[in-house]
């Protein structure tokens, strides 16, 4: 005998799935993770390979933990794929005032002329030793950034206990990659510091005035609430072409399956 699916069955399915979804743990004051971005990592070394830029704290390469907690506010998870080391003393240190030694020069050297700042479907991160005048730089709305690992690692949080460096630089530059530079936001500094927020506890405040967390516990929504992402910033970042839909966690699939099994049992009772 055929079974017709009526409105009550549809409502039951929705109820079951809502109950299942409510059983999945969620991070307080953060969106559900439904978008992800992968970062391709390139590590610069000297010509002979004897010296290489740091990858970050041992056991927390690239400040993985802090970067993910910050971007969880926008429902975004961040993963990393180490691609290769690049032995080039010429690009081991960068300086935008020195022709041939800028971030654009490095990017074009690796990927071909005129590609710097144009890639819209991936994020390439270069770990270098030192970037004169900056902790890091990220292209506006495109997928490329550079990390000055000697300066980041040397940042001592004014002597605060537990400091492992400037832990939010990557998350900040990734924000620029996601397009967080428009001066139309009410909290942006405009001509005073184009592309940066005025809020000292926000992620997109400028590097010279931003309140930098000492440890992951200081990051919003916890304790000091630093590296906060306002709703306007979240909405814009989530439109980036660098993001893809996240694969649901195994627990989410399990709860979904429970919901479907429950619906099946309900239908069989209806048939009986």
């Amino acid at each position: 005998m055929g079974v017709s699916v009526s409105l009550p069955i549809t409502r039951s399915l929705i109820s079951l799935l809502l109950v299942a979804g409510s059983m999945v743990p969620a991070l307080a004051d953060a969106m559900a993770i439904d978008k992800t971005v992968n970062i391709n990592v390139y590590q610069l070394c000297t010509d002979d390979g004897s010296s290489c830029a740091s990858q970050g704290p041992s056991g927390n390469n690239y400040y993985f933990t802090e970067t993910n907690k910050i971007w969880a506010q926008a429902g975004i998870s961040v993963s990393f794929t180490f691609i290769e080391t690049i032995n080039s003393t010429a690009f081991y240190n960068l300086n935008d005032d020195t022709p041939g030694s800028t971030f654009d020069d490095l990017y074009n050297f690796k990927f071909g002329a005129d590609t710097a700042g144009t890639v819209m479907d991936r994020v390439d991160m270069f770990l270098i030793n030192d970037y004169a005048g900056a902790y890091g730089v990220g292209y506006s709305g495109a997928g490329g950034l550079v990390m000055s690992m000697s300066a980041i690692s040397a940042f001592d949080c004014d002597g605060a206990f537990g400091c492992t460096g400037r832990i939010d630089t990557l998350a900040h530059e990734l924000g620029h990659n996601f397009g967080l530079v428009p001066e139309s936001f009410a909290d942006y500094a405009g001509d005073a510091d184009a592309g940066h927020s005025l809020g000292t506890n926000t992620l997109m405040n400028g590097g010279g005035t931003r309140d930098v967390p000492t440890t992951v516990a200081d990051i919003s929504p916890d304790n000091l609430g630093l590296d906060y992402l306002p709703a306007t910033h979240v909405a814009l970042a989530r439109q980036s072409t660098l993001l893809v839909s996240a694969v649901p966690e195994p627990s989410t699939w399990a709860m979904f399956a429970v919901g479907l099994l429950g619906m099946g049992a309900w239908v069989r009772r209806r048939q009986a």
Side-chain angles (χ1 to χ4, degrees):
M1 180 178 69
V3 178
S4 61
V5 179
S6 62
L7 184 59
I9 293 178
T10 302
R11 286 176 177 166
S12 296
L13 173 60
I14 292 172
S15 297
L16 283 166
L17 295 181
L18 286 175
V19 170
S22 68
M23 297 171 66
V24 179
L27 180 65
D29 297 324
M31 298 178 64
I33 301 297
D34 63 354
K35 292 181 180 291
T36 185
V37 61
N38 182 67
I39 298 178
N40 295 321
V41 181
Y42 299 86
Q43 182 185 28
L44 269 295
C45 302
T46 54
D47 287 340
D48 61 3
S50 60
S51 297
C52 294
S54 168
Q55 294 187 36
S58 176
N60 188 25
N61 284 357
Y62 327 127
Y63 297 99
F64 171 93
T65 303
E66 294 83 1
T67 302
N68 270 280
K69 183 174 182 180
I70 291 168
W71 282 105
Q73 297 174 79
I76 297 169
S77 67
V78 184
S79 61
F80 299 86
T81 301
F82 187 89
I83 303 299
E84 64 181 1
T85 58
I86 300 174
N87 289 3
S88 174
T89 300
F91 294 121
Y92 184 57
N93 299 309
L94 297 180
N95 189 330
D96 282 339
D97 294 327
T98 303
S101 186
T102 69
F103 180 31
D104 282 1
D105 293 324
L106 168 58
Y107 201 93
N108 291 334
F109 165 79
K110 177 59 187 174
F111 296 111
D114 301 323
T115 56
T118 65
V119 175
M120 307 298 291
D121 60 352
R122 71 174 193 270
V123 178
D124 301 304
M125 177 172 72
F126 294 86
L127 305 177
I128 66 168
N129 180 58
D130 184 65
Y131 198 146
Y135 289 99
V137 171
Y139 290 125
S140 171
L145 61 96
V146 63
M147 298 270 282
S148 178
M149 296 306 296
S150 62
I152 291 170
S153 300
F155 186 79
D156 68 355
C157 312
D158 292 327
F161 177 77
C163 181
T164 58
R166 198 174 176 96
I167 61 179
D168 63 357
T169 298
L170 171 55
H172 175 93
E173 302 308 338
L174 194 56
H176 288 310
N177 289 169
F178 291 155
L180 293 182
V181 292
E183 298 176 21
S184 58
F185 286 156
D187 64 322
Y188 265 60
D191 292 339
D193 185 10
H196 287 122
S197 170
L198 289 171
T200 56
N201 69 330
T202 59
L203 175 66
M204 299 313 296
N205 185 272
T209 54
R210 184 169 73 253
D211 289 337
V212 178
T214 297
T215 69
V216 68
D218 293 332
I219 295 170
S220 181
D222 298 325
N223 294 342
L224 300 178
L226 302 182
D227 289 329
Y228 172 67
L229 283 167
T232 51
H233 297 195
V234 168
L236 181 60
R238 286 174 57 84
Q239 298 177 31
S240 172
T241 60
L242 300 170
L243 299 171
V244 297
S245 297
V247 177
E249 294 294 328
S251 59
T252 303
W253 282 119
M255 292 302 100
F256 182 77
V258 168
L260 290 179
L261 288 173
M263 178 196 172
W266 191 91
V267 170
R268 285 193 294 274
R269 287 197 299 272
R270 292 270 296 181
Q271 288 178 301

